Amino acid sequence: MVNKMGYPEKEQISKDLMALPDHQDKFKYLIKKGKNQPELNQEFKIEKFRIQGCMSKLWLHPQFKEGKIYFSSDSDAAIPKGIAAILTEIYSGLTPDEALEFDSSFLKEVGVAQHLSMNRSNGLVKLYEQIRLYALAFKSLNRG
Amino acid sequence: MIDIENIKKQFPSLDQMVHDKPLTYLDSAATTLKPKIVLDTIASYYGKQYSTVRRGLYKLSENTTIAYETCRRHVAKFINAASEKEIVFTSGTTDSINLVAASFGRKFIEKGDEVIVSAIEHHANIVPWQIICEEKGAQLKVIPVNDNGELMIDEYKKLLSDKTKIVAVGHVSNALGTINPIKEMIDLAHEKNIPVLIDGAQSAPHIAIDVQALDCDFYAFSGHKIYGPTGVGVLYGKYEILEKMPPYRSGGDMIETVTFEKTTYQEPPYRFEAGTPPIVEVIALSSALDFLEEVGLDNIHDHESELLAYATEKMLEIKGLQIIGTAKEKTSVISFVMQEAHPHDIGTILDSEGIALRSGHHCAMPIMERFKVPATARVSFGIYNTKEDVDTLIKGLHQINSLFDVD
């Protein structure tokens, strides 16, 4: 099991969020996180990369370079954009195996997992699933 | 004057904390909370007096059947139908409209015919008509809407023609709160002998309905939006039209005789109630009507109008907030967008303050398209809401602006 230990930049996100017990501060952090993320190239803001089922528009673009996965994302809403930025940051730079085994349970501890709810108007759970699907696809590509 | 604090006490689910904050429920247009009288009826019927209806000869079934049929009379009285035979129990407004689209449509709509809906309908009053139109080769015509969210009646007049087989229009828009001038619209259609279906899902909890005065041919509404249970709805239909309509679904209790050669069907309303109905839900719907009648729809209307005016005034003071849907005649629904925060952000942030409101396209994507917004946030009031709830909302909206650095 790969856990957050050994991934210092991921530990930093965890630490940052843990230090913000207040809802409002967490939102502020997420909004900032989204704003600081480079905007996704317009050519990738297309249906093919759109996460369906979210009331806001949410895109996830994967790349596979030298055996590692790199994600970028964007959204027209600030909080989903921030959460997507965190997820893509966590999962970028991992091999497909590492991504599939990555223990994301810390998201729950830091209060982000509540946004990954099953509510159909909230596509963030689908974003998470899509990240794993890409990891699976790249894994088979790697083998092939 | 009604005592809102006393009314609030009748809604146990209001008394709870969400994210460590007291619940502020502002999503009654989606579904209303339930008063104790409804909860007690459900518990009492499932707990003791429960049995099937219209099938058993035994005492228990006879009692339940009486309660069930009494509710039918109660609903008839509530909307002033000429007879309880004009009241069909369905699973909700969606089911009621699907019933008419499928059954009336199968019998009366043909290739080249037209069905009129409006640009501010809920998907439930669009898609069933699209399906029957596609099946029959008929065409769906749409009444346009002006910038305030009001239907353009002059355009509607132009759409009415010899080809029109039915007009299906909402009494109140779920996304904007607009109250449509349905009496005028019904009269205009009737001048050309066109029947009219009214989707009353959003009006029944706010406006006293008199189907005979309106002279509508169908009127549909849901139990769960008028303080009653989910899973039960009403279709009012003029008897002479219901009588001509074929069954919608088939099965037990809707038949007269069945042989493998031919089956004959019961008279309305039973013809349209195949299978075991939502017995307890129907009986509890009657309790919801008791509640509404006790509080009084006029009182409800006055209270909610006051909240609407107060909230509208306060919300317009918030920088960058725009209300979508500014019709002169509105129920207590306010759809809005903000300068920086997306409706998704608004919903998420307000949730953390214990505020429940709807964000999204409200199952009315064509309206979002019309007003060029991806989605809106929507607050909607019920009888249990207060000015304090509005103040909590306003505080939350200011917090959003501060998070997004909008002064």
Side-chain angles (χ1 to χ4, degrees):
Chain A
M1 176 70 73
V2 182
N3 61 34
K4 64 188 182 215
M5 302 307 287
Y7 293 91
E9 69 278 18
K10 282 129 201 144
E11 267 185 87
Q12 190 55 48
I13 293 176
S14 176
K15 267 188 199 158
D16 286 351
L17 279 161
M18 288 291 256
L20 304 168
D22 182 60
H23 281 312
Q24 300 300 316
D25 291 331
K26 261 185 198 143
F27 288 136
K28 208 154 209 162
Y29 177 86
L30 290 172
I31 292 166
K32 200 172 153 202
K33 193 92 197 162
K35 269 190 184 157
N36 290 344
Q37 188 196 33
E39 200 180 319
L40 185 65
N41 200 320
Q42 281 298 330
E43 65 180 299
F44 301 132
K45 287 186 181 179
I46 53 172
E47 278 308 296
K48 187 180 167 188
F49 298 117
R50 175 124 180 241
I51 303 293
Q52 295 299 330
C54 191
M55 75 169 66
S56 49
K57 285 182 184 154
L58 183 60
W59 298 271
L60 176 70
H61 180 252
Q63 278 180 296
F64 194 47
K65 283 190 284 196
E66 293 161 1
K68 287 179 177 174
I69 317 172
Y70 297 89
F71 290 107
S72 38
S73 60
D74 210 338
S75 172
D76 60 348
I79 292 168
K81 187 172 170 160
I83 294 169
I86 288 175
L87 283 178
T88 54
E89 196 172 314
I90 289 170
Y91 281 92
S92 286
L94 301 184
T95 65
D97 277 326
E98 284 170 340
L100 287 168
E101 285 175 29
F102 187 80
D103 178 10
S104 62
S105 62
F106 82 95
L107 289 170
K108 200 171 180 178
E109 291 160 31
V110 299
V112 167
Q114 56 164 310
H115 301 295
L116 303 174
S117 73
M118 291 304 288
N119 194 325
R120 68 171 179 166
S121 61
N122 189 334
L124 291 162
V125 68
K126 289 215 173 127
L127 174 74
Y128 179 67
E129 282 165 7
Q130 193 60 44
I131 286 174
R132 294 179 60 83
L133 279 174
Y134 278 128
L136 261 177
F138 287 133
K139 186 177 172 174
S140 58
L141 198 71
N142 225 6
R143 279 193 189 132
Chain B
M1 199 57 199
I2 43 174
D3 179 357
I4 297 298
E5 284 312 310
N6 184 37
I7 286 171
K8 280 181 78 170
K9 281 186 202 142
Q10 297 177 48
F11 288 82
S13 61
L14 277 175
D15 185 22
Q16 63 176 305
M17 304 294 274
V18 175
H19 301 304
D20 298 326
K21 306 272 169 63
L23 168 66
T24 303
Y25 188 76
L26 300 177
D27 198 19
S28 292
T31 194
T32 54
L33 303 177
K34 312 305 168 200
K36 207 167 168 300
I37 181 175
V38 169
L39 305 178
D40 288 348
T41 300
I42 292 170
S44 132
Y45 265 85
Y46 274 127
K48 194 166 182 186
Q49 300 169 64
Y50 184 70
S51 70
T52 192
V53 288
R54 301 201 305 259
R55 288 158 172 84
L57 283 173
Y58 49 92
K59 185 70 185 159
L60 213 54
S61 175
E62 201 178 301
N63 287 348
T64 312
T65 305
I66 290 169
Y68 183 87
E69 292 302 330
T70 302
C71 178
R72 200 187 299 279
R73 282 199 291 280
H74 195 172
V75 171
K77 190 168 151 263
F78 183 71
I79 59 170
N80 195 31
S83 154
E84 70 265 25
K85 289 179 183 168
E86 299 182 316
I87 305 299
V88 180
F89 288 123
T90 64
S91 71
T93 309
T94 299
D95 192 30
S96 298
I97 299 172
N98 272 278
L99 190 166
V100 179
S103 167
F104 177 92
R106 201 189 321 153
K107 176 103 184 214
F108 296 108
I109 296 175
E110 283 164 18
K111 194 175 163 65
D113 286 344
E114 292 174 356
V115 170
I116 297 178
V117 297
S118 90
I120 53 174
E121 296 309 312
H122 187 282
H123 294 164
N125 199 27
I126 301 173
V127 186
W129 300 110
Q130 266 175 340
I131 290 174
I132 192 73
C133 283
E134 255 177 54
E135 261 178 45
K136 296 282 192 158
Q139 238 196 323
L140 199 64
K141 294 280 176 182
V142 184
I143 311 163
V145 61
N146 69 17
D147 290 342
N148 294 327
E150 294 159 326
L151 296 185
M152 296 162 80
I153 299 302
D154 286 342
E155 297 299 317
Y156 167 62
K157 286 179 193 164
K158 289 181 208 160
L159 291 176
L160 292 165
S161 79
D162 295 343
K163 291 181 187 170
T164 314
K165 280 290 138 69
I166 190 164
V167 173
V169 67
H171 194 162
V172 168
S173 152
N174 74 306
L176 308 177
T178 312
I179 302 174
N180 293 322
I182 56 164
K183 176 60 185 152
E184 185 189 349
M185 295 176 79
I186 293 164
D187 290 346
L188 284 165
H190 284 179
E191 281 173 18
K192 291 190 156 66
N193 293 319
I194 302 162
V196 180
L197 173 139
I198 302 295
D199 170 355
Q202 294 295 334
S203 44
H206 309 289
I207 301 168
I209 295 150
D210 183 335
V211 288
Q212 291 191 79
L214 286 170
D215 198 27
C216 55
D217 302 275
F218 300 101
Y219 200 100
F221 63 98
S222 297
H224 76 99
K225 289 194 204 282
I226 56 166
Y227 308 96
T230 52
V232 60
V234 170
L235 173 68
Y236 158 82
K238 280 183 183 162
Y239 193 79
E240 64 267 27
I241 303 182
L242 287 178
E243 213 179 9
K244 289 180 196 142
M245 284 164 48
Y248 163 50
R249 287 190 308 238
S250 52
D253 210 38
M254 49 77 74
I255 50 84
E256 202 171 60
T257 58
V258 176
T259 67
F260 283 108
E261 287 70 41
K262 185 166 173 62
T263 295
T264 55
Y265 307 112
Q266 288 237 42
E267 296 299 307
Y270 305 115
R271 183 186 300 169
F272 303 105
E273 293 179 6
T276 298
I279 299 165
V280 177
E281 288 74 8
V282 166
I283 295 169
L285 173 64
S286 197
S287 299
L289 299 184
D290 283 335
F291 168 78
L292 282 172
E293 284 160 348
E294 199 191 313
V295 180
L297 271 160
D298 288 343
N299 288 329
I300 292 174
H301 178 264
D302 290 350
H303 172 67
E304 291 174 351
S305 299
E306 203 181 319
L307 284 180
L308 174 69
Y310 180 69
T312 304
E313 187 195 326
K314 292 275 170 190
M315 285 169 79
L316 287 174
E317 286 169 8
I318 290 170
K319 193 175 174 194
L321 186 146
Q322 186 198 346
I323 292 177
I324 307 289
T326 47
K328 277 187 214 94
E329 299 290 328
K330 270 181 76 169
T331 57
S332 50
V333 165
I334 306 174
S335 239
F336 65 99
V337 291
M338 294 177 85
Q339 191 177 317
E340 293 292 329
H342 186 282
H344 194 152
D345 299 322
I346 299 171
T348 305
I349 296 167
L350 292 182
D351 170 57
S352 74
E353 295 299 314
I355 302 170
L357 89 171
R358 177 86 183 265
S359 19
H361 54 62
H362 315 296
C363 299
M365 285 178 170
I367 308 182
M368 302 298 118
E369 174 97 21
R370 167 66 177 79
F371 287 94
K372 297 191 171 31
V373 288
T376 71
R378 180 191 70 184
V379 295
S380 54
F381 302 115
I383 184 61
Y384 31 64
N385 288 120
T386 60
K387 285 189 175 171
E388 285 72 40
D389 293 335
V390 176
D391 294 338
T392 306
L393 168 74
I394 298 299
K395 198 173 150 215
L397 294 174
H398 278 299
Q399 269 170 354
I400 291 173
N401 265 356
S402 125
L403 278 171
F404 282 84
D405 295 324
V406 179
D407 300 314

